[in-house]
Amino acid sequence: MSAPQSRSARGLLERYVDSVAGRLGAGSGLRSALRKVFPNHFSFLWGEVALYSFVVLIATGIYLTLFFEGTQSEVTYSGSYEPLRGEEMSAAFASVMRISFDVKGGLLIRQMHHWAALIFVGAIAVHMARVFFTGAFRKPREMNWVVGVLLLVLALAAGLTGYSLPDDLLSGTGLRIIHAVILALPFVGERLTYLLFGGEWPGTDIIGRLYPVHILLIPALIVALLGVHLGLVWRQKHTQFRGAGRTETNVVGESVWPSFAMKSVGLQFMVAAVITAMGALFDVNAVWLYGPYDTGAATSFSQPDWYIGFLEGSLRLFPPWETRIGGFVIGQVVYSGVVIPSLIFGILFAAPWIDRRLTGDHDEHHLLDRPRDAAGRSATGVAALTVVTVLFLGGSQDVIAGTLGMSLGLVTRLLQILLLVAPPIAWYVTARMCRVLAERPGPERTERSEPIYRDSGGGYHSGPLVEKEPPQDHEQVPAEATGRST
Amino acid sequence: MSERSEGAATGDDPQENQRAYRAAVVAFAAAIVGGVVAAIAYSTDDTDVWLGVGLAVALGGIGFGLVSWAKYLDFDEHVVQQREPLTMTETERDALHEELTTLPANSTTTFRRRRLLTRLLGGSLFSLVVGFVGPLGSLGPKPRGERNRTGWSNGVRLVTSEGQPIERATGGFDQLVTVFPEGQIGRDDSQVVLLRVSPELLTERTVEAGSIDGWVAYSKICTHAGCSVGLFGIDTRPPDVLRQLVCPCHQSVFDPVDGARPVTGPATRSLPQLPLRVDADGYLAAADDFDRPVGPPTWDEG
């Protein structure tokens, strides 16, 4: 037996790690994993925020499944919300009412789930914008860009199915629109709606079918792709901004253990804290005000969740076009609900290859561009964001008209014009701004020969970076690392 | 491979370290209080606000505490690590290709020769997929023209969602009511908006399509994306008084005095009109079913 002394010299943490790593032969691998370096920049946090709101979604979602009933069987409401008592509704809606009013703490969890979903998609969008505008999607990370866009699509699908499950008036309306878009698909449309809805609209199957999709299929796919996404980041190492000592062949930052891990776990708790506070303080999706889905009922100012807004806007702003080809019809919803979304996501998927084609840049990149370094790409990104923003505004054109006291037709027409005019203007202005910024005597101002450190008290000061090689000046950075304007 | 350097040697400032330490202490203490507040809130049924606020403080305290702890331990380090090259060298690539295509030494063939086998494998996988299409087809029946039939036919009374029939003589002008076929209240494809306007306002074709004394009835399902066309408005601004049926989803506007033709918005087709008659007891009834499918069109409904 080994001497008891050496045993007691090991702390709890060491003993635990020994017992696991010692059985997996993972000692040296674990050591190098703990020493892995992650570069530091505030804009790198958004992906983490998305990840951590997903964790909250899973946790709150599991709680909700313990109460939610995914069926459309008719029940008469007898819960404690007075205005709806005695009304006929689906078991799904009744169970959401129960969670909201009769399960102690249920409303908090439900609202946290909804807020977390809104933040999840938002964080993904901001993260994607960061990746795009800094050129982080370039070789060798094209694959991870595609995985990321897939994750965005899955997040939207999760949101859409989740929005539909309570079977309230608005969710039924949303499903109705999806039904119409599928119905209009050439050749397979009507058959496909019958397969999805188990027959004619609305049927009694759709909620029961969306339920496993929402709580099993989509989350499982998200978890799998998240594994790939993070695995690729781990394997290929994170990108970094230019700066003293930072080259295409190194990573400068903090190591996983303990700095990165401790701060990142801290961020998980902070994200959860914000979502919990929002769930406690701000109402979201107050389905009891909309009431159960009811044939023939409709509400004004009906709006989807924010991330579906651009699709809603496309349906609203696209002109009333119908194309007839030999007795067959391509209707307005095919253009606005299929063609335009396909274009948007198709371009998103293809972004790395489009960028490569336009710039002729086939090199590997680990140093990020600042947006100004790639005027063409930044301008294109802002133009694309402008398109999505105008579509988003179009999704609530009735609210805009009501607020501004303008006629609905005028607002619609203005937004249609804006959709055509604003993106080129945004492109030109952004390109111009990038060039002006890039021409300024930048390197001394923005890329310092000495790094700035933030110390533990929050103060900033500069000093020499302690490493073997002397800090490199901007001019000495290898050619492929310098900025290039398109 | 990597080397550590204590970033800017900030650890020499004991005061700042102390501040981070105190922040961590306060944060963790607050977290404990938050958890207790949440527990008290739950047991006193105050779950509206204080349960969530308590939990948020607990979570936020832990998060802030962890980050402060990291700062106290002075983790603002800068480590430089080399990237291993991701691209393959020529030699590596050749070796990999060799591994992929080389068969055991005693084999007499190569991978590429057997086209037939490759194609058969592809074909068998495809037929496997075809075989599994069957069970997927069980998800829903085949459409059998249900879109062309609703609950309306000659003589079926119009009733409100409470089951009230509509008397020919009742009702003022410009009131909108949602009606269903008698005995089929809530049937989705048969929802109808019934409206009475001053008879001389109606266009000729609207009257011919089956209006009675200014009563007109249209399918309530929007021909754009299928929402219920639930809003009726009168625009009294000069020059003309305009009556409008509006779909709240995508703001398609239909003209109820002219066969509900689409006026503005994304809809391309008018709402199907339900021909009306008066039955023996003086109540409004349908004279026939709609003359075309209701709701958004399919691709072959030119």
Side-chain angles (χ1 to χ4, degrees):
Chain A
M1 298 305 282
S2 61
Q5 264 179 329
S6 74
R7 194 181 165 79
S8 63
R10 298 182 299 163
L12 190 67
L13 184 64
E14 291 94 319
R15 284 213 303 261
Y16 175 71
V17 170
D18 288 355
S19 66
V20 178
R23 283 168 173 80
L24 298 173
S28 66
L30 188 59
R31 180 164 173 270
S32 73
L34 292 178
R35 298 190 66 171
K36 192 175 184 65
V37 171
F38 276 86
N40 235 336
H41 192 265
F42 79 92
S43 69
F44 299 166
L45 280 188
W46 289 108
E48 285 183 65
V49 171
L51 174 67
Y52 293 142
S53 41
F54 181 68
V55 171
V56 176
L57 277 170
I58 294 285
T60 51
I62 290 173
Y63 184 86
L64 294 176
T65 60
L66 304 178
F67 299 97
F68 180 72
E69 254 186 87
T71 77
Q72 277 162 280
S73 50
E74 282 277 300
V75 296
T76 307
Y77 182 67
S78 57
S80 54
Y81 183 68
E82 201 74 52
L84 288 183
R85 214 174 275 170
E87 273 209 39
E88 296 285 312
M89 54 181 66
S90 66
F93 186 80
S95 69
V96 174
M97 292 297 291
R98 177 169 166 238
I99 291 169
S100 307
F101 290 98
D102 298 303
V103 174
K104 240 164 105 177
L107 181 62
L108 172 70
I109 306 288
R110 213 196 110 220
Q111 299 202 132
M112 279 172 69
H113 193 68
H114 202 115
W115 280 123
L118 299 181
I119 291 172
F120 180 48
V121 186
I124 292 176
V126 179
H127 173 59
M128 255 177 106
R130 196 282 293 171
V131 168
F132 180 83
F133 285 109
T134 59
F137 57 82
R138 290 173 297 174
K139 191 178 173 187
R141 295 183 177 76
E142 310 95 321
M143 226 194 315
N144 223 8
W145 170 266
V146 171
V147 173
V149 179
L150 280 173
L151 278 167
L152 172 70
V153 172
L154 285 170
L156 293 178
L160 207 61
T161 49
Y163 183 80
S164 304
L165 284 181
D167 203 22
D168 60 282
L169 186 55
L170 284 187
S171 83
T173 307
L175 276 179
R176 184 61 146 135
I177 297 165
I178 295 167
H179 179 271
V181 173
I182 299 171
L183 187 69
L185 291 178
F187 301 103
V188 293
E190 192 176 16
R191 182 82 176 106
L192 209 53
T193 61
Y194 271 58
L195 290 176
L196 284 175
F197 288 81
E200 226 186 336
W201 166 269
T204 53
D205 290 332
I206 187 66
I207 299 288
R209 289 179 175 182
L210 289 179
Y211 190 35
V213 171
H214 179 73
I215 68 167
L216 179 71
L217 184 62
I218 295 175
L221 288 173
I222 290 179
V223 168
L225 284 180
L226 264 177
V228 176
H229 202 61
L230 298 176
L232 283 172
V233 171
W234 187 273
R235 174 73 199 141
Q236 297 180 324
K237 293 203 168 84
H238 206 284
T239 51
Q240 60 190 349
F241 281 101
R242 280 192 204 99
R246 298 174 182 195
T247 68
E248 289 282 7
T249 54
N250 72 5
V251 197
V252 179
E254 49 185 19
S255 45
V256 164
W257 185 260
S259 349
F260 183 75
M262 210 151 165
K263 287 175 187 167
S264 197
V265 173
L267 181 66
Q268 163 74 80
F269 280 95
M270 287 177 175
V271 168
V274 170
I275 291 169
T276 311
M278 291 175 83
L281 300 175
F282 309 116
D283 277 354
V284 65
N285 201 26
V287 289
W288 53 91
L289 298 179
Y290 316 146
Y293 179 70
D294 180 17
T295 299
T299 56
S300 49
F301 300 144
S302 52
Q303 305 282 311
D305 274 346
W306 74 268
Y307 46 83
I308 302 295
F310 72 103
L311 296 175
E312 171 91 355
S314 171
L315 284 165
R316 291 187 187 203
L317 293 186
F318 201 88
W321 289 352
E322 230 184 56
T323 314
R324 276 152 207 268
I325 303 165
F328 298 143
V329 182
I330 300 169
Q332 197 266 3
V333 291
V334 177
Y335 290 118
S336 62
V338 181
V339 175
I340 287 187
S342 305
L343 274 177
I344 291 176
F345 286 103
I347 291 172
L348 267 183
F349 275 115
W353 291 274
I354 297 173
D355 185 81
R356 184 186 294 181
R357 170 64 70 87
L358 292 179
T359 59
D361 178 357
H362 293 253
D363 295 332
E364 216 176 282
H365 293 279
H366 300 286
L367 285 175
L368 296 171
D369 283 338
R370 290 171 308 169
R372 72 185 67 169
D373 298 332
R377 180 200 304 141
S378 298
T380 309
V382 172
L385 282 179
T386 309
V387 171
V388 176
T389 306
V390 176
L391 286 178
F392 174 79
L393 292 176
S396 39
Q397 109 262 54
D398 52 336
V399 178
I400 296 172
T403 312
L404 300 181
M406 291 159 77
S407 92
L408 190 87
L410 180 64
V411 173
T412 308
R413 178 63 64 192
L414 285 177
L415 286 171
Q416 284 169 336
I417 294 169
L418 212 56
L419 195 56
L420 297 177
V421 174
I425 295 176
W427 196 97
Y428 178 78
V429 171
T430 312
R432 192 84 206 105
M433 272 170 62
C434 287
R435 298 219 164 94
V436 169
L437 284 172
E439 279 163 17
R440 273 165 43 164
E444 293 83 45
R445 299 165 65 123
T446 54
E447 291 182 18
R448 292 163 200 280
S449 54
E450 289 188 339
I452 300 275
Y453 292 107
R454 183 158 186 257
D455 62 37
S456 55
Y460 294 87
H461 43 100
S462 60
L465 180 72
V466 185
E467 62 163 341
K468 280 177 186 159
E469 286 173 15
Q472 285 180 309
D473 288 325
H474 184 63
E475 288 74 26
Q476 289 172 317
V477 175
E480 69 265 28
T482 51
R484 105 202 113 62
S485 48
T486 47
Chain B
M1 205 178 95
S2 71
E3 61 214 66
R4 288 187 186 209
S5 62
E6 294 310 315
T10 51
D12 334 325
D13 191 346
Q15 261 196 335
E16 294 192 344
N17 259 3
Q18 276 311 307
R19 247 194 349 241
Y21 180 80
R22 280 200 299 273
V25 168
V26 172
F28 285 132
I32 293 172
V33 174
V36 172
V37 167
I40 294 173
Y42 185 85
S43 59
T44 56
D45 284 355
D46 194 351
T47 53
D48 277 352
V49 172
W50 285 108
L51 174 66
V53 170
L55 288 174
V57 170
L59 288 161
I62 295 174
F64 194 73
L66 282 173
V67 174
S68 303
W69 195 350
K71 288 192 181 302
Y72 163 64
L73 293 175
D74 198 21
F75 287 157
D76 282 331
E77 57 175 2
H78 275 248
V79 190
V80 182
Q81 202 168 43
Q82 294 306 307
R83 288 178 190 275
E84 300 103 36
L86 297 168
T87 42
M88 286 189 286
T89 63
E90 294 268 309
T91 344
E92 277 174 331
R93 196 168 53 208
D94 292 345
L96 180 65
H97 290 180
E98 175 112 354
E99 197 63 39
L100 274 173
T101 51
T102 311
L103 295 172
N106 56 356
S107 176
T108 54
T109 178
T110 70
F111 260 113
R112 280 165 212 226
R113 291 262 164 86
R114 296 283 165 246
R115 282 263 164 76
L116 180 66
L117 282 182
T118 325
R119 284 180 188 170
L120 281 177
L121 176 64
S124 58
L125 289 176
F126 181 74
S127 80
L128 185 71
V129 171
V130 170
F132 270 111
V133 167
L136 281 180
S138 307
L139 283 171
K142 279 209 180 77
R144 296 190 194 284
E146 287 90 347
R147 284 177 53 76
N148 298 315
R149 290 188 297 274
T150 70
W152 298 105
S153 57
N154 187 13
V156 175
R157 267 189 197 160
L158 283 61
V159 296
T160 66
S161 47
E162 279 79 43
Q164 286 292 315
I166 314 286
E167 255 184 286
R168 175 188 191 169
T170 54
F173 292 132
D174 295 330
Q175 300 282 332
L176 183 85
V177 57
T178 301
V179 294
F180 291 96
E182 188 167 30
Q184 301 184 70
I185 293 169
R187 176 165 170 176
D188 191 87
D189 62 5
S190 307
Q191 50 181 306
V192 157
V193 285
L194 179 68
L195 182 70
R196 193 178 186 197
V197 296
S198 189
E200 72 275 6
L201 292 172
L202 296 174
T203 60
E204 200 176 320
R205 64 173 176 167
T206 314
V207 176
E208 276 168 14
S211 101
I212 294 205
D213 290 355
W215 289 104
V216 278
Y218 300 104
S219 165
K220 197 179 174 177
I221 310 170
C222 187
T223 53
H224 173 231
C227 295
S228 291
V229 183
L231 309 177
F232 175 64
I234 304 177
D235 189 346
T236 52
R237 280 175 300 187
D240 301 310
V241 176
L242 293 174
R243 284 164 180 75
Q244 299 180 324
L245 282 168
V246 183
C247 175
C249 282
H250 307 112
Q251 317 298 324
S252 290
V253 178
F254 303 91
D255 183 357
V257 301
D258 187 18
R261 73 181 163 84
V263 185
T264 61
T268 52
R269 298 166 179 221
S270 49
L271 301 170
Q273 186 172 355
L274 184 72
L276 296 177
R277 50 172 279 202
V278 178
D279 71 6
D281 303 319
Y283 293 111
L284 291 182
D288 198 355
D289 200 350
F290 296 103
D291 62 356
R292 58 203 137 109
V294 297
T298 60
W299 62 286
D300 54 354
E301 284 166 2

